[in-house]
Amino acid sequence: MADSDHHHDFHSLPADSWQQHHRLLSFQFDHAKCDTGHLPLPTSHMSRANVENLKEVFSRYASRVVDGERVMTYADFIQKYLGLLTDDGYNTETLQILGRTVDSLCTGYISFDDFQNFEGILCQPDALYRVAFHIFDRNSNGTLSFDEFRRTLEHTEINKFVKFNFDTDFVRLHFGVNRDRAITYSEFTQVLLEYHEEHALQAFRKFDKNKSGRISLKDLKKILVNICPHLLSTYVEASLPLLGENDSEWITYPYFRGFISLLSNMELIKKIYLHMTDKSKDREITQGEFMRSAQNFTQVTPLEVMILYQLTDLMHKNGKLVYHDLEAVAPLDVDKMPYSLQSITLSKTISDRKEADDAHHKQSVFMQILENIYRFALGAVAGATGATAVYPIDLVKTRMQNQRTSLVGELMYKNSWDCFKKVLRFEGVGGLYRGLGPQLVGVAPEKAIKLTMNDLMRGKLARKDGSLPLWAECVAGGCAGGSQVLFTNPLEIVKIRLQVAGEVPGVARPSAINVIRELGLLGLYKGARACLLRDIPFSAIYFPAYANLKKYSADSSGYNSPLTLLVSAFIAGAPAASLVTPADVIKTRLQVAARKGQSTYNGVIHCFRTILKEEGGRAFWKGTTARVFRSSPQFAVTLVTYEMLHRLFYVDFGGRKPEGSTTGHSIEDYVPPNPDHIGGYKFVRPTFEGIETRFGLCFPKYKSS
């Protein structure tokens, strides 16, 4: 069908039918009705805002009532909702231009349908171009006439410096000799790109008064600052007076075009650098190396590479560049562009959905076994690392808890620091690590089963959305603490007897084998009740506290750095370790071999009563300080090691991924959060600002205050 026929069909509808037809076409983005070469519309996968929530937001800002329905004025939308043009001296024509972008029927106000449809536009992958098109499409008919194109450009700031000449081949080629051909959205995207090139060419001709094909550096700066401000970074603008061909103050036309082309293609230049360096940002690249690699890309010429190195050499003067130099030259902060923010949001949505699906996807028995073996191995390494790091503190804690005050001359240590100094003085550095061997043999499976059981139970008790209530966190932690006693009790009783063996001078110090032979199998589980009494509440407190501190200290994208993991694990250990100290004291007394004259205990209750009677209630809190300073750093080191091993050697078994392990950014890193900007409106400010910074379409008083 010919263009003229197509136009006739499109515009010959009755008024009422036209309005309905227009609403469907213009704001469901089907602008292809008047062009046979229209590109297919990409499908948006962005999540739209809930209609009811959107209505609630709309009603908060809609200040007028028309035909019984609340509507927004242009000021309501642009100034109150978007926060743009809020100065007293704002430009009213700019307000009208931006307001008409949303007003689909040119009524002079914004209905809820307009508001909702514009939210859909903002969710499109090419939202930046689509909103720019609606700014130009003043009568909202889905095509762009020459008059609309001219009137919009005449209001921009860049047109004030060098007025655009509309009597050129550029206009005739796009709008026809008689300027009566309307262009479609897809054509507009190309016209917008070529417009800047045409305007820059017209500016060059204006300053090339002698028609010699060159202009001064001073004139180049004027053109770039006033015609192409969106291509200038702060560094490039400051460097312009220092540039020139062969140190000359004149710029030829090819150099001028190469300069603008380079600045327009800086994102491609960055990709070339990262391709050359395998994504390293610190490797220095010479001009020859870069030029050789750039030949794979037809958009980049040797002249542009030469200009690039002229700019970067002003920093180093060594003929080399690194990625940081390219960031200084690049005019655009790509991370703040709406398409980048959409990618961040979309990636996070896909990741969240995958984790939710994985959490409910039933793993095979074989995969569950493999995952638990994997966790067990990582937990063993992490546990051994944590135990070694704090073993001297643990030895001091044990000796302080075993110290009896009911016997004359029994008080060997004044406090934990005094105990540490005396061990170091009389037994040497090796004395601080007495019993470490059996500790490592036992601590590996102990911590492994504890961490594995906690992860396993958290996965089993998680809700459908992957969240975990506090009671479930406590149950998971308690199960982890109870399960470890199988390994903890034999380990602790051997360790404790070896730790206190050096207290009495002249007495032979037994080996771990001797202690095990003396106790026998049943003896290894002496004090198991007290061990359960300590380990279950400890883990029920510790793991929920750690998980919630992790969430609190994570960044806006939910990622935990090693430092935040360490701090969270350390803080969580303090209340957990201190509150269960009485149970730890009872366990220690039951497991230590009583010396001559010391009280012996028949069980947990008897031990509790005897200590309370002979030493008072304070005795139950002996070694609390040492216990906190041992448990907090030990679990901090253990948990950080465990989580970092998960990240370094991550294997997807189809289960839950460790919380806080994914890195990345969220939209809040780049855009100030606004609770009323929901759905596509999260990108509304970056979109309007991107029209200025990406396309150079600067309107008077456009920027937000």
Side-chain angles (χ1 to χ4, degrees):
M1 184 180 290
D3 276 355
S4 59
D5 293 335
H6 226 156
H7 278 286
H8 177 75
D9 290 341
F10 191 65
H11 293 287
S12 60
L13 295 169
D16 292 342
S17 299
W18 157 247
Q19 289 187 355
Q20 296 175 7
H21 196 60
H22 162 69
R23 185 178 299 279
L24 289 172
L25 293 177
S26 179
F27 280 88
Q28 290 181 5
F29 324 117
D30 184 8
H31 301 306
K33 288 288 182 184
C34 45
D35 181 46
T36 56
H38 180 68
L39 296 174
L41 182 74
T43 302
S44 172
H45 296 286
M46 295 300 302
S47 297
R48 296 286 303 273
N50 177 273
V51 176
E52 294 304 318
N53 293 340
L54 206 58
K55 283 182 179 178
E56 185 179 339
V57 171
F58 178 81
S59 63
R60 279 201 288 270
Y61 292 88
S63 63
R64 288 182 57 190
V65 177
V66 175
D67 295 333
E69 294 186 2
R70 296 183 66 85
V71 297
M72 280 186 181
T73 64
Y74 290 173
D76 290 338
F77 182 77
I78 300 298
Q79 295 177 316
K80 295 179 181 179
Y81 184 59
L82 301 189
L84 302 173
L85 299 175
T86 54
D87 291 338
D88 292 336
Y90 70 89
N91 189 290
T92 55
E93 186 175 350
T94 299
L95 179 68
Q96 291 298 310
I97 289 174
L98 299 184
R100 279 195 298 267
T101 305
V102 190
D103 180 8
S104 63
L105 298 179
C106 301
T107 57
Y109 55 80
I110 299 168
S111 67
F112 175 71
D113 285 342
D114 295 331
F115 187 72
Q116 183 182 20
N117 288 329
F118 193 70
E119 188 259 342
I121 291 177
L122 294 170
C123 288
Q124 293 297 312
D126 55 345
L128 201 60
Y129 280 95
R130 290 191 177 278
V131 173
F133 178 78
H134 281 286
I135 288 176
F136 279 82
D137 184 16
R138 292 183 168 222
N139 61 10
S140 298
N141 68 350
T143 60
L144 185 62
S145 68
F146 167 75
D147 186 59
E148 290 174 320
F149 184 72
R150 176 186 57 79
R151 289 174 61 193
T152 304
L153 288 180
E154 285 179 344
H155 187 63
T156 61
E157 294 281 11
I158 58 177
N159 195 62
K160 296 178 180 179
F161 176 67
V162 174
K163 290 191 179 299
F164 188 82
N165 180 12
F166 291 96
D167 187 19
T168 61
D169 286 339
F170 168 80
V171 172
R172 285 187 284 271
L173 288 171
H174 287 301
F175 294 95
V177 174
N178 297 323
R179 303 176 182 179
D180 57 355
R181 194 181 84 83
I183 61 176
T184 62
Y185 163 70
S186 57
E187 292 173 326
F188 166 79
T189 61
Q190 188 65 29
V191 172
L192 187 60
L193 174 66
E194 295 177 10
Y195 157 72
H196 283 293
E197 296 177 356
E198 175 68 18
H199 205 167
L201 172 60
Q202 292 183 15
F204 184 92
R205 285 172 174 164
K206 175 183 177 180
F207 286 98
D208 182 18
K209 294 182 173 59
N210 298 326
K211 300 187 183 303
S212 61
R214 64 179 188 173
I215 60 174
S216 68
L217 271 170
K218 183 179 180 181
D219 292 336
L220 171 66
K221 184 173 182 178
K222 287 180 181 178
I223 292 173
L224 291 175
V225 169
N226 293 282
I227 301 296
C228 309
H230 60 295
L231 297 180
L232 282 184
S233 66
T234 303
Y235 170 75
V236 172
E237 185 174 354
S239 303
L240 286 176
L242 306 176
L243 288 176
E245 260 186 327
N246 302 320
D247 298 323
S248 169
E249 64 174 290
W250 295 98
I251 296 296
T252 65
Y253 180 66
Y255 189 95
F256 172 77
R257 289 297 301 269
F259 201 100
I260 292 178
S261 179
L262 170 68
L263 298 182
S264 300
N265 288 323
M266 278 308 299
E267 296 312 308
L268 175 61
I269 296 292
K270 289 181 183 179
K271 293 184 186 301
I272 294 173
Y273 175 92
L274 294 174
H275 175 73
M276 293 177 65
T277 62
D278 292 328
K279 299 186 178 180
S280 170
K281 295 185 177 181
D282 301 320
R283 181 181 160 190
E284 293 182 329
I285 301 295
T286 65
Q287 183 173 337
E289 290 173 328
F290 197 96
M291 191 172 295
R292 188 177 303 110
S293 183
Q295 300 311 299
N296 295 310
F297 303 87
T298 57
Q299 301 97 316
V300 182
T301 66
L303 175 59
E304 292 173 26
V305 175
M306 183 195 77
I307 297 171
L308 174 65
Y309 274 81
Q310 284 182 339
L311 287 168
T312 57
D313 274 353
L314 296 175
M315 301 185 213
H316 310 298
K317 300 186 183 302
N318 64 354
K320 300 177 181 179
L321 59 77
V322 294
Y323 190 80
H324 175 73
D325 302 334
L326 302 181
E327 289 182 316
V329 175
L332 198 62
D333 190 348
V334 176
D335 291 337
K336 293 183 179 180
M337 289 294 102
Y339 46 84
S340 297
L341 298 175
Q342 284 183 359
S343 297
I344 292 172
T345 306
L346 191 58
S347 296
K348 190 174 188 306
T349 301
I350 293 172
S351 176
D352 290 345
R353 287 174 181 171
K354 183 181 182 301
E355 283 204 29
D357 290 342
D358 288 346
H360 292 92
H361 178 68
K362 195 167 182 79
Q363 288 176 286
S364 66
V365 175
F366 179 69
M367 291 301 290
Q368 290 184 38
I369 293 172
L370 281 182
E371 183 173 25
N372 287 319
I373 292 174
Y374 162 78
R375 288 174 175 171
F376 195 91
L378 298 187
V381 175
T385 304
T388 303
V390 301
Y391 191 81
I393 302 175
D394 186 55
L395 181 135
V396 170
K397 182 268 305 181
T398 299
R399 292 201 177 183
M400 287 299 298
Q401 289 181 340
N402 187 50
Q403 184 170 245
R404 320 293 173 97
T405 58
S406 59
L407 298 176
V408 178
E410 185 70 17
L411 191 62
M412 297 179 63
Y413 314 115
K414 298 176 183 178
N415 49 47
S416 297
W417 177 241
D418 181 57
C419 177
F420 176 82
K421 290 191 296 182
K422 286 181 177 178
V423 172
L424 192 61
R425 178 181 178 185
F426 295 110
E427 303 174 52
V429 176
L432 293 172
Y433 289 92
R434 189 176 307 283
L436 177 60
Q439 170 80 342
L440 292 182
V441 171
V443 82
E446 173 210 334
K447 291 296 185 289
I449 197 170
K450 187 173 191 173
L451 295 169
T452 301
M453 181 60 72
N454 180 64
D455 284 348
L456 178 65
M457 292 303 297
R458 288 177 72 89
K460 297 295 184 184
L461 296 174
R463 293 172 175 153
K464 290 184 178 181
D465 60 358
S467 64
L468 204 68
L470 181 60
W471 69 264
E473 291 186 289
C474 293
V475 170
C479 290
S483 66
Q484 77 174 51
V485 174
L486 179 67
F487 294 96
T488 303
N489 210 82
L491 162 72
E492 296 258 334
I493 194 168
V494 174
K495 178 195 71 173
I496 287 171
R497 294 205 175 192
L498 291 175
Q499 285 179 336
V500 301
E503 289 184 325
V504 182
V507 177
R509 295 165 183 168
S511 66
I513 299 299
N514 291 335
V515 172
I516 293 172
R517 286 175 178 171
E518 179 186 343
L519 290 169
L521 181 61
L522 293 178
L524 288 173
Y525 286 93
K526 186 178 181 181
R529 292 179 185 175
C531 203
L532 287 168
L533 193 62
R534 178 197 66 177
D535 290 346
I536 291 177
F538 175 90
S539 296
I541 296 170
Y542 181 81
F543 283 111
Y546 171 65
N548 285 280
L549 285 168
K550 266 177 62 179
K551 292 178 183 177
Y552 179 79
S553 60
D555 62 21
S556 57
S557 63
Y559 175 73
N560 284 100
S561 66
L563 180 60
T564 61
L565 292 175
L566 186 70
V567 172
S568 299
F570 188 91
I571 295 175
S578 59
L579 292 175
V580 299
T581 299
D584 195 47
V585 170
I586 293 173
K587 179 196 70 68
T588 299
R589 295 293 180 89
L590 288 171
Q591 292 179 335
V592 169
R595 293 195 292 272
K596 187 177 180 180
Q598 291 182 334
S599 300
T600 57
Y601 311 108
N602 298 325
V604 173
I605 302 300
H606 179 256
C607 181
F608 173 80
R609 290 174 176 172
T610 304
I611 293 173
L612 187 63
K613 179 181 178 181
E614 296 180 353
E615 304 173 56
R618 295 183 61 183
F620 290 109
W621 301 98
K622 285 182 178 180
T624 299
T625 303
R627 177 168 167 76
V628 169
F629 280 97
R630 190 269 298 175
S631 293
S632 288
Q634 178 181 0
F635 273 88
V637 173
T638 299
L639 265 296
V640 170
T641 303
Y642 183 65
E643 300 232 21
M644 295 310 295
L645 287 173
H646 259 292
R647 297 181 188 181
L648 290 172
F649 305 104
Y650 177 69
V651 179
D652 188 0
F653 292 97
R656 290 168 58 90
K657 192 169 184 178
E659 295 174 0
S661 62
T662 53
T663 184
H665 295 284
S666 68
I667 187 174
E668 286 77 14
D669 295 331
Y670 305 102
V671 182
N674 185 327
D676 288 337
H677 289 182
I678 59 177
Y681 281 109
K682 290 180 180 179
F683 315 110
V684 66
R685 284 289 295 266
T687 300
F688 275 106
E689 291 167 2
I691 288 171
E692 177 178 337
T693 57
R694 173 70 185 271
F695 300 141
L697 297 176
C698 308
F699 296 100
K701 296 287 184 180
Y702 172 73
K703 285 189 176 179
S704 60
S705 61

